[in-house]
Amino acid sequence: MQYKLIEVKQSFNKYCLVYDIDGEIYFYYPKYGYLATVEEDFNFDDAVYNVLYNLKSRDITQEVNLIAVVLTPNCLCNCLYCYADGVKNKNVKVNYEGITKFIQNNKSAKILQFFGGEPLLELDYIKSVGFDGVVEIVTGLGISDIKFNEYLDLAKKSNVHTTVSIDACDENGNYHTRIQKGINSNQLFRNILNKVKLLNDAGVNYSLRATLTNVGYRLDKYLNDIEDFIGEEVPWGFGVVHGERHDIFKMSIKQVKFVENFLYENILKIINGERVYIPNPISSYMNLFYEKLVGGLLYNSLGICNFGGRGGMTINWSGQVCLCPEEAVRSNMPLNMIHKKCYDCDFLMSCGSLCLFNKPEDNEMWCWLYKTVIINAVPLAILKHKKELNLRGSNGVC
């Protein structure tokens, strides 16, 4: 199967990605979410801004279908980029009653997520919560073997998904963005991998997530080390966070190009059947695009990480209710539905303005990463719907 990103260019003064998929040329205009098999001029600006106006004017606290619980800021690890660092290990008191009441009052929710800090430090509470939908636990597994073995029984349940945060290594294969007192960082990586292997061997639903930094960015070495240890391919993903003590948004041009090339080559391997797992968030955007590419226009005005836009609400350990899990541990975050800079971005309608709390002028690397994600997600969605696409051009008029 043939796939190639032929070029990125200006087409009739519009940013355009040109793909070759099995000999068919596709023109994708990410600002408008528009896909065609011929290059053409068009004017969708009015339609785009009407969508954005409606998004800004509507009530973002729609029926809750996703609940995020930042259960505790406490953690036994001391990651260099930790955004909970300012409130971590401050003898916090968890408002169990308030959190339980919030969950019970939002029976429409289909997904319940537990974040931290390290949420498994509050494993007894997690086990006590009765929830019929999907339960996702985002953990660093920096916990004792006794606590882990207790969690393993819960993780085996069919409705429980475990996301394990394990960060990529540096150029020399060293893992040192994640720290635990008294333990060498490379040894801590191995300790966590031991637990991941137990999850894998028990057949639980899990995936790994690598936080990319200007130090830990070698996804190739990272996957090789993990898969050699586990003995098979693993589900994985990547992302960035707002760092306080680590300069994670200053990746060099060389590092940026490495990540771009690695992800592109990884997609080629998936298309050619050499790999199975599509990394998140590429897989998330791909699934989002599946249902919308058929009509030619995406108009993904909600954004993949927009908790408020997709009915998500967050409650933290103290009982404070907010929209975003990051807001739960960071005070005074501004609410920008659609940031001014996003209006002029070439990826506006494909990205959907990314996040309620994203500030593009302060976070260029976040925007870069998700543009890279979209470039790789679109061809996968095209391949999924190739036979049923009804596009403007040689395949007909949308």
Side-chain angles (χ1 to χ4, degrees):
M1 188 173 291
Q2 181 182 356
Y3 158 61
K4 185 177 182 180
L5 176 61
I6 299 175
E7 62 178 327
V8 177
K9 67 174 187 176
Q10 291 293 315
S11 170
F12 297 97
N13 295 318
K14 296 176 177 65
Y15 185 89
C16 182
L17 305 170
V18 186
Y19 298 99
D20 181 345
I21 298 178
D22 280 348
E24 182 94 39
I25 305 301
Y26 293 87
F27 299 87
Y28 182 63
Y29 301 84
K31 181 170 185 176
Y32 305 91
Y34 181 63
L35 177 69
T37 54
V38 293
E39 188 176 3
E40 62 177 317
D41 198 6
F42 56 84
N43 185 4
F44 290 145
D45 287 321
D46 289 343
V48 166
Y49 291 116
N50 283 338
V51 169
L52 295 178
Y53 177 80
N54 290 334
L55 175 64
K56 291 187 72 173
S57 63
R58 72 184 176 84
D59 182 6
I60 58 175
T61 57
Q62 57 181 288
E63 182 178 66
V64 175
N65 57 47
L66 183 156
I67 297 172
V69 180
V70 183
L71 194 48
T72 176
N74 294 338
C75 185
L76 299 180
C77 291
N78 197 23
C79 303
L80 293 174
Y81 53 77
C82 182
Y83 60 81
D85 190 50
V87 290
K88 185 168 57 181
N89 302 328
K90 298 291 178 76
N91 296 316
V92 300
K93 183 178 180 181
V94 180
N95 184 355
Y96 302 112
E97 182 179 351
I99 295 172
T100 300
K101 184 176 180 180
F102 182 79
I103 295 172
Q104 292 174 344
N105 288 343
N106 290 282
K107 297 185 183 299
S108 60
K110 305 296 190 298
I111 302 172
L112 176 62
Q113 298 176 327
F114 288 102
F115 294 91
E118 176 50 72
L120 293 186
L121 294 178
E122 297 289 341
L123 180 57
D124 288 341
Y125 175 76
I126 293 175
K127 290 167 63 177
S128 72
V129 175
F131 187 77
D132 295 331
V134 175
V135 177
E136 181 180 1
I137 299 168
V138 182
T139 172
L141 290 183
I143 54 177
S144 69
D145 290 344
I146 294 174
K147 180 73 73 174
F148 174 78
N149 289 331
E150 186 180 349
Y151 172 64
L152 189 56
D153 289 333
L154 175 64
K156 291 176 182 178
K157 293 186 176 182
S158 60
N159 70 320
V160 175
H161 181 89
T162 305
T163 298
V164 183
S165 181
I166 305 182
D167 301 329
C169 58
D170 65 13
E171 183 66 38
N172 299 315
N174 291 315
Y175 296 84
H176 47 72
T177 58
R178 193 170 298 270
I179 299 172
Q180 196 169 67
K181 187 175 181 180
I183 303 178
N184 175 275
S185 293
N186 283 328
Q187 184 57 51
L188 178 61
F189 170 73
R190 294 293 172 179
N191 292 349
I192 295 172
L193 269 191
N194 282 325
K195 295 182 175 69
V196 172
K197 183 166 176 54
L198 290 172
L199 291 174
N200 184 83
D201 293 348
V204 307
N205 299 314
Y206 81 98
S207 61
L208 307 181
R209 181 186 185 277
T211 298
L212 296 176
T213 76
N214 64 320
V215 176
Y217 72 97
R218 286 300 299 263
L219 292 170
D220 56 338
K221 295 176 181 290
Y222 167 84
L223 283 179
N224 286 339
D225 286 347
I226 292 174
E227 291 176 356
D228 285 348
F229 188 89
I230 301 298
E232 58 184 283
E233 189 178 346
V234 296
W236 65 290
F238 56 89
V240 295
V241 297
H242 295 279
E244 297 291 347
R245 295 183 297 140
H246 206 240
D247 203 6
I248 67 176
F249 299 122
K250 291 189 177 180
M251 294 175 70
S252 68
I253 294 176
K254 179 181 177 181
Q255 291 170 334
V256 165
K257 291 300 180 184
F258 170 82
V259 172
E260 291 176 349
N261 291 336
F262 173 80
L263 293 176
Y264 181 71
E265 292 170 1
N266 189 76
I267 294 301
L268 288 176
K269 291 179 179 179
I270 292 167
I271 290 173
N272 292 321
E274 298 173 40
R275 293 190 66 84
V276 174
Y277 293 109
I278 303 170
N280 190 43
I282 292 178
S283 59
S284 294
Y285 269 101
M286 177 192 69
N287 291 330
L288 185 72
F289 293 168
Y290 275 176
E291 304 304 322
K292 299 187 178 183
L293 279 178
V294 177
L297 286 171
L298 287 177
Y299 280 179
N300 172 32
S301 58
L302 297 183
I304 198 67
C305 288
N306 183 333
F307 267 70
R310 59 191 176 120
M313 291 294 287
T314 299
I315 186 169
N316 72 2
W317 59 91
S318 68
Q320 177 189 5
V321 176
C322 47
L323 286 175
C324 175
E326 285 194 29
E327 186 195 17
V329 292
R330 298 164 64 93
S331 61
N332 301 318
M333 293 187 71
L335 178 60
N336 294 321
M337 280 300 297
I338 300 292
H339 193 279
K340 181 179 179 181
K341 186 172 182 178
C342 293
Y343 278 106
D344 298 322
C345 177
D346 289 323
F347 284 75
L348 174 60
M349 296 310 291
S350 296
C351 170
S353 194
L354 185 63
C355 174
L356 291 173
F357 300 102
N358 188 31
K359 296 176 65 179
E361 73 277 16
D362 296 335
N363 203 352
E364 294 288 350
M365 291 308 297
W366 192 313
C367 294
W368 156 75
L369 184 63
Y370 276 81
K371 290 175 183 178
T372 303
V373 163
I374 290 167
I375 289 171
N376 286 285
V378 168
L380 292 174
I382 292 173
L383 283 166
K384 174 71 174 179
H385 275 305
K386 192 171 186 296
K387 293 182 180 179
E388 54 195 289
L389 287 174
N390 183 28
L391 306 176
R392 188 180 301 280
S394 59
N395 289 338
V397 179
C398 64

